Amino acid sequence: DTGVSQNPRHKITKRGQNVTFRCDPISEHNRLYWYRQTLGQGPEFLTYFQNEAQLEKSRLLSDRFSAERPKGSFSTLEIQRTEQGDSAMYLCASSFIGYGYTFGSGTRLTVV
Amino acid sequence: QQPVQSPQAVILREGEDAVINCSSSKALYSVHWYRQKHGEAPVFLMILLKGGEQKGHDKISASFNEKKQQSSLYLTASQLSYSGTYFCGTEGVGSSNTGKLIFGQGTTLQVKP
């Protein structure tokens, strides 16, 4: 068990480009969460999966954001037509029901 | 609704105690506590469940007042390694045990020698 793995660690992209991040959760965990964190703030909920089903997506999230978790294993988060306001740390976490999260190291996105 | 943490920041000397508070306007099912060091991911410390069950870290304690929708994290005899930003994450009763957390804005703790 190597924990939650996120790739890439850093991504610099030009405004208007699409980006995709990957998260590999702890294999035994059935829940997977995506959060976004900006400097000096707590993590902000984006979406979560139970196994392969996406059960909730934040209303704050525009249609430019989409997430998948095929076969209940790894997950991807895609941002289309990136904007400067999308610059943030994107965190993935996994857990068992009723237990704490294990976070990955995050993907830091910079939109220039 | 984001929970409110207090204080926003605290500076301690090694060996001193600290209390960090987390308050919600919604009825809560659970409260989580995490510590995040600069440039790293948050690390799970403690979970407190409605009904009083507690799971987690054995060197840091916490309380959960369901009626007041408040939780407090107690750090006793602080060590240099306790430095970081502490976040509470709350799961509302209406979330139907989704595990979805809303995090507070954080409390920065600095422990000096």
Side-chain angles (χ1 to χ4, degrees):
Chain A
D1 180 2
T2 56
V4 177
S5 176
Q6 290 189 247
N7 288 288
R9 291 294 304 274
H10 304 274
K11 179 71 177 179
I12 300 174
T13 190
K14 291 184 178 179
R15 190 176 54 178
Q17 298 294 305
N18 299 344
V19 293
T20 300
F21 310 141
R22 177 178 171 126
C23 172
D24 287 90
I26 292 173
S27 56
E28 298 83 4
H29 288 177
N30 61 346
R31 285 186 172 170
L32 185 148
Y33 303 86
W34 284 98
Y35 282 80
R36 176 172 63 188
Q37 187 176 29
T38 53
L39 197 63
Q41 300 297 315
E44 176 189 15
F45 173 77
L46 295 179
T47 188
Y48 95 97
F49 293 83
Q50 180 157 316
N51 301 314
E52 68 274 10
Q54 185 176 19
L55 297 186
E56 186 171 344
K57 182 176 174 180
S58 170
R59 284 174 287 179
L60 300 174
L61 221 56
S62 76
D63 290 341
R64 297 185 296 107
F65 288 73
S66 63
E68 294 183 342
R69 192 182 182 196
K71 301 179 183 177
S73 56
F74 70 92
S75 177
T76 58
L77 178 69
E78 181 182 17
I79 309 174
Q80 296 181 329
R81 305 181 302 282
T82 52
E83 302 172 356
Q84 287 191 321
D86 297 332
S87 295
M89 176 71 83
Y90 289 82
L91 294 166
C92 174
S94 67
S95 77
F96 286 118
I97 296 173
Y99 286 80
Y101 289 4
T102 300
F103 281 93
S105 298
T107 294
R108 181 169 296 284
L109 174 66
T110 302
V111 181
V112 298
Chain B
Q1 198 89 15
Q2 185 181 34
V4 176
Q5 290 185 229
S6 63
Q8 285 191 314
V10 59
I11 300 175
L12 299 174
R13 293 287 181 188
E14 265 187 300
E16 292 181 339
D17 301 341
V19 180
I20 300 172
N21 301 302
C22 175
S23 182
S24 174
S25 59
K26 297 175 65 173
L28 299 177
Y29 176 79
S30 72
V31 179
H32 294 217
W33 287 95
Y34 293 80
R35 177 172 59 212
Q36 185 175 31
K37 293 184 180 286
H38 184 68
E40 298 180 9
V43 173
F44 171 73
L45 296 176
M46 185 84 63
I47 181 171
L48 301 110
L49 302 174
K50 191 175 187 309
E53 189 178 1
Q54 176 177 315
K55 307 174 190 176
H57 210 286
D58 60 358
K59 294 186 178 180
I60 297 173
S61 63
S63 64
F64 179 21
N65 187 324
E66 298 165 35
K67 288 184 179 179
K68 293 186 176 180
Q69 294 138 211
Q70 294 175 345
S71 177
S72 295
L73 185 72
Y74 304 97
L75 301 149
T76 56
S78 59
Q79 305 167 19
L80 294 175
S81 62
Y82 285 7
S83 294
T85 301
Y86 289 78
F87 293 100
C88 67
T90 58
E91 180 183 2
V93 167
S95 297
S96 302
N97 194 21
T98 63
K100 166 192 162 186
L101 297 179
I102 306 299
F103 286 90
Q105 80 281 15
T107 295
T108 300
L109 177 75
Q110 185 180 4
V111 180
K112 293 186 173 181

